[in-house]
């Protein structure tokens, strides 16, 4: 039986109920995960390697958007088909999985959802886990198409910074946004994008799960108001996607992620 996802966020209970769906693909998007026989996963999960396979590793900044050709090649290699239903998680709850979810949107794949609470919530509920083993996948047939309006770059974010209809939201912590602490990346200066506002990604979470739609709507409605374009930034393009997820759940449109985020902006200015 095939399934279609009607939400961008699914619960671990939902996944456990539907885990045998024939077109379901579960992706583990944990960053910097060492895959060996001691690593645990949700049954049949496939590793989505953000840092290597799904980033342009030749780019000067980390986590840079891959090309259409690279994304299509790597998704097919892990068995992604046009009719797949994808649920993506990570080992923190909601962190890097949102970046994987957004990448699929950018490349034209919408039957994808984030697992609320991720691996921690899955384990807390006592659902089955297994250790990683070598897997062979039938090559998928997914055809990627770039929706470039969902991402912006250095020049674009400067334009948005001067656009009265745009709102730039920075997902970094308040202390980083206010330049009260050093950036974690060595050599990167403190600072903020002009005319940006701070919305730490942690403000959208209750523990390792997303807050309710009602709570998220209050947060975003207080910030968005009459703005028609919402741009998300962070340190290197990962947690900005958590803000994009929260806004999507609130049915806010015209969402854009600044791919290079502060790592690029702080380096180039």
């Amino acid at each position: 039986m095939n399934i279609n996802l009607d939400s961008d966020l699914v619960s671990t209970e939902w996944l456990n109920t539907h885990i045998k769906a024939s077109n379901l693909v579960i992706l583990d998007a944990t960053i910097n995960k060492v895959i060996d026989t001691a690593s645990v996963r949700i049954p049949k999960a496939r590793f989505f390697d953000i840092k290597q396979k799904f980033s342009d590793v030749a780019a000067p900044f980390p986590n840079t958007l891959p090309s259409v050709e690279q994304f299509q090649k790597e998704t097919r290699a892990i068995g992604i088909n046009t009719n797949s239903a994808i649920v993506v998680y990570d080992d923190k709850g909601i962190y890097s999985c949102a970046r994987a979810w957004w990448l699929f949107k950018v490349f034209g794949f919408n039957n994808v959802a984030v697992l609320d609470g991720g691996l921690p919530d899955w384990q807390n509920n006592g659902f089955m886990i297994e250790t990683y083993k070598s897997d062979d996948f039938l090559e998928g047939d997914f055809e990627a198409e770039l929706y470039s309006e969902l991402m912006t770059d250095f020049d674009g974010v400067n334009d948005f910074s001067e656009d009265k209809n745009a709102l730039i939201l920075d997902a970094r912590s308040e202390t980083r946004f206010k330049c009260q602490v050093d950036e974690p990346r060595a050599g990167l200066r403190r600072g903020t994008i002009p005319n940006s506002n701070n919305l730490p990604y942690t403000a959208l979470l209750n523990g390792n799960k997303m807050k309710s739609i009602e709570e998220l709507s209050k947060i975003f409605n207080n910030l968005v108001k009459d703005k028609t374009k919402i741009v998300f930034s962070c340190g290197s393009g990962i947690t900005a996607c958590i803000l994009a997820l929260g806004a999507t759940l609130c049915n806010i449109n015209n969402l854009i992620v600044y791919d290079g985020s502060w790592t690029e902006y702080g380096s180039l200015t």
Side-chain angles (χ1 to χ4, degrees), residues 6-169:
D6 57 8
S7 173
D8 288 277
L9 190 72
V10 298
S11 69
T12 52
E13 292 85 359
W14 181 95
L15 180 59
N16 188 57
T17 299
H18 294 87
I19 199 164
K20 293 184 179 179
S22 55
N23 67 329
L24 178 68
V25 177
I26 304 170
L27 298 179
D28 178 354
T30 302
I31 284 186
N32 294 332
K33 184 165 187 170
V34 177
I35 300 297
D36 57 29
T37 54
S39 303
V40 298
R41 64 180 179 182
I42 294 173
K44 298 183 179 178
R46 308 171 190 188
F47 185 49
F48 186 92
D49 190 348
I50 288 176
K51 287 290 188 181
Q52 299 297 321
K53 301 291 181 65
F54 294 97
S55 292
D56 178 0
V57 294
F61 303 108
N63 314 318
T64 297
L65 188 72
S67 67
V68 172
E69 294 77 14
Q70 180 184 348
F71 191 82
Q72 179 172 292
K73 174 189 172 188
E74 297 296 348
T75 48
R76 286 184 174 188
I78 54 173
I80 304 299
N81 292 306
T82 302
N83 73 339
S84 294
I86 298 172
V87 174
V88 60
Y89 74 91
D90 62 53
D91 67 0
K92 287 184 169 59
I94 292 183
Y95 187 70
S96 51
C97 58
R99 173 73 180 188
W101 163 83
W102 189 253
L103 285 176
F104 277 101
K105 301 280 188 181
V106 170
F107 289 105
F109 190 98
N110 289 302
N111 199 22
V112 57
V114 165
L115 183 63
D116 197 17
L119 185 62
D121 195 64
W122 182 267
Q123 291 181 291
N124 286 342
N125 281 323
F127 298 139
M128 185 182 298
I129 59 170
E130 64 184 19
T131 55
Y132 267 90
K133 52 183 177 291
S134 59
D135 296 299
D136 292 317
F137 308 113
L138 290 174
E139 183 173 342
D141 63 12
F142 169 59
E143 295 185 5
E145 179 181 355
L146 178 63
Y147 286 76
S148 58
E149 68 274 14
L150 299 180
M151 284 290 202
T152 195
D153 56 12
F154 179 76
D155 292 333
V157 85
N158 277 318
D159 291 340
F160 287 123
S161 177
E162 298 173 359
D163 185 344
K164 292 181 180 179
N165 293 315
L167 172 67
I168 301 175
L169 293 176

